[in-house]
């Protein structure tokens, strides 16, 4: 299994059709994250770039997945296979039963 970064260019002007699809996009992102297929999802402050890290068997599998994004018709993707992707693990406090 490999990791892939997908960089999306977003439209300069987001019309009502785009805005109406945002809730469905969020649900799809949550679904893919819960499955462990989508590892990270980041949006630039100016909302012109979006980055995703996927764990997949192939670039084709990534393409099939992003084709299901409700906002895909508004986004231009560029897929890059990564050598590695490091990220800080979320720290969950340990509870003592004592």
């Amino acid at each position: 299994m490999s990791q892939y970064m997908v960089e999306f260019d977003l439209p300069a002007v987001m019309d009502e059709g785009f805005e109406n699809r945002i809730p469905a996009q969020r649900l799809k992102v949550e679904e893919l994250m819960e499955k462990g297929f989508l590892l990270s999802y980041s949006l630039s402050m100016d909302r012109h770039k979006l980055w995703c890290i996927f764990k997949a068997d192939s670039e084709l599998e990534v393409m099939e997945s992003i084709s299901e994004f409700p906002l895909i018709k508004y986004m231009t993707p560029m897929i890059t296979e990564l050598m590695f992707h490091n990220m800080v693990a979320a720290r969950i406090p340990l509870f003592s039963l004592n």
Side-chain angles (χ1 to χ4, degrees):
M1 191 149 295
S2 297
Q3 293 178 337
Y4 297 85
M5 175 179 276
V6 184
E7 181 177 349
F8 295 96
D9 288 324
L10 300 174
V13 177
M14 297 174 188
D15 64 16
E16 188 177 332
F18 182 96
E19 291 177 6
N20 289 339
R21 288 179 172 85
I22 291 174
Q25 178 79 9
R26 288 183 178 154
L27 287 174
K28 187 63 177 177
V29 166
E30 288 175 18
E31 173 192 321
L32 293 172
M33 289 186 128
E34 286 176 8
K35 290 180 179 178
F37 188 60
L38 179 59
L39 304 178
S40 68
Y41 186 81
S42 304
L43 179 64
S44 66
M45 182 63 85
D46 65 8
R47 298 181 179 171
H48 292 270
K49 292 277 187 185
L50 178 70
W51 298 273
C52 300
I53 304 294
F54 286 90
K55 189 164 93 176
D57 290 323
S58 67
E59 186 173 328
L60 179 61
E61 189 176 16
V62 174
M63 290 187 321
E64 289 171 351
S65 181
I66 64 175
S67 73
E68 296 176 9
F69 279 177
L71 293 174
I72 192 62
K73 79 176 201 170
Y74 297 94
M75 304 188 299
T76 305
M78 185 176 78
I79 301 172
T80 305
E81 186 173 9
L82 301 176
M83 177 67 72
F84 60 87
H85 173 69
N86 292 333
M87 58 187 195
V88 176
R91 296 207 176 243
I92 301 171
L94 300 175
F95 294 97
S96 173
L97 298 176
N98 296 330

